[in-house]
Amino acid sequence: TLVEGAIFGAVRGAYTGCDCDHLGLLDVCGSGTLFLDEFGSDPDLSATRQIEPKLRRVMSPPCDYTRLGDEEHVFNFGGGLILGGSRLGTLIEKAETDETWKDFCGRIKAIIRVPPLRDHPEDIVPLARHFLRKECGALKLAPKSLTREAERALLDYPWPENIRELEKTMSEVASLKQLEIDASDLRLRTVARPTDGDKPDVQPDPNTPHGMALLLRQFGNSQVKVAKHLGVTPNRVLQLMRQHRADPAFRAKFPKRH
């Protein structure tokens, strides 16, 4: 109920503690773009299922909605909606057997699969420096730096909670007295790094430039091995690669061979 009220707005008395009418995120967003992070992250999906019918209406014309506790007045949403969350892949899988989620996922115009932080280690240290500099500035403290040992520890850590965990770690060490942050200061947990044999939460999508790039890197740039993994012909992999070369980042990594 609180989640529904926060997104769609509520009128006085809609739920316990709602003492006055208030706008929802859709109202505040107007014609802009609303980003709902961690969508579907509740363990039993109870909160997600509660707001799903209303979101379906927002995601398709006429894109209307009602506020919690008021079914008479209908409002129109003229902006864009982006859903984010680590469990979206699970919801998409459920759509294969659940008609409700099939209809919901059918209204999603595009799916962008963002790889976990551990899959692009070249970004870890620059991000860590950025977060450390940002937090020191917010606390009005002298700038701090990372030792080589600290940077190596950051690269060796698998970051199971992704960028949020990295930002939190840098926020915690920013308040330390020393100006150089060493590996021991990071207090990273002991977490097993996923091996190549571990199944990822979401399989790379070969129909996207990034997904195909991940597959090629996983199989040593072998189109034959990627094709075998996907159950398609090497010619199909080559066809997809040609399509993806329209993307500058993909073209830079996999230029056309003459």
Side-chain angles (χ1 to χ4, degrees), residues 201-221:
D201 295 335
V202 180
Q203 294 287 350
D205 184 359
N207 295 304
T208 66
H210 181 75
M212 178 58 78
L214 286 178
L215 286 167
L216 287 167
R217 185 171 67 179
Q218 181 180 346
F219 291 98
N221 292 341

Side-chain angles (χ1 to χ4, degrees), residues 1-220:
T1 299
L2 292 176
V3 174
E4 184 179 355
I7 296 174
F8 302 99
V11 298
R12 180 180 179 182
Y15 54 87
T16 303
C18 185
D19 300 326
C20 61
D21 297 358
H22 68 81
L23 301 177
L25 293 174
L26 293 176
D27 299 303
V28 176
C29 180
S31 60
T33 300
L34 176 62
F35 177 53
L36 297 179
D37 199 7
E38 295 301 333
F39 183 80
S41 61
D42 44 321
D44 59 355
L45 295 179
S46 58
T48 303
R49 288 186 180 276
Q50 188 177 38
I51 64 174
E52 179 269 331
K54 281 192 170 185
L55 275 182
R56 262 191 295 158
R57 290 176 54 180
V58 171
M59 293 166 69
S60 302
C63 305
D64 57 12
Y65 63 96
T66 57
R67 290 178 182 152
L68 188 62
D70 179 12
E71 297 297 327
E72 296 183 5
H73 299 90
V74 179
F75 302 89
N76 181 264
F77 180 59
L81 182 64
I82 298 177
L83 305 177
S86 58
R87 294 189 63 194
L88 280 178
T90 302
L91 294 182
I92 294 172
E93 290 178 0
K94 287 174 69 68
E96 298 179 2
T97 56
D98 190 316
E99 287 298 322
T100 299
W101 290 116
K102 183 178 181 180
D103 180 59
F104 180 82
C105 292
R107 301 175 190 234
I108 300 176
K109 293 183 178 180
I111 298 174
I112 302 175
R113 304 180 189 274
V114 180
L117 184 58
R118 63 176 177 268
D119 282 357
H120 43 109
E122 67 278 4
D123 292 334
I124 293 177
V125 172
L127 282 170
R129 291 171 179 164
H130 165 72
F131 290 137
L132 185 59
R133 183 170 59 251
K134 176 183 175 183
E135 188 64 20
C136 287
L139 297 174
K140 297 182 179 180
L141 298 173
K144 292 179 171 59
S145 61
L146 298 164
T147 64
R148 289 186 178 181
E149 289 73 18
E151 292 181 355
R152 192 175 298 113
L154 292 174
L155 292 171
D156 290 340
Y157 186 68
W159 301 106
E161 297 177 24
N162 290 300
I163 196 168
R164 287 187 182 85
E165 186 177 8
L166 176 60
E167 184 174 14
K168 180 182 177 182
T169 300
M170 292 300 101
S171 177
E172 291 174 349
V173 299
S175 59
L176 297 178
K177 293 181 179 180
Q178 63 267 33
L179 296 181
E180 275 199 341
I181 305 301
D182 202 3
S184 59
D185 300 320
L186 300 172
R187 298 183 181 181
L188 299 174
R189 297 177 293 160
T190 302
V191 180
R193 175 176 286 275
T195 62
D196 292 338
D198 290 338
K199 182 180 178 182
D201 295 335
V202 180
Q203 294 287 350
D205 184 359
N207 295 304
T208 66
H210 181 75
M212 178 58 78
L214 286 178
L215 286 167
L216 287 167
R217 185 171 67 179
Q218 181 180 346
F219 291 98

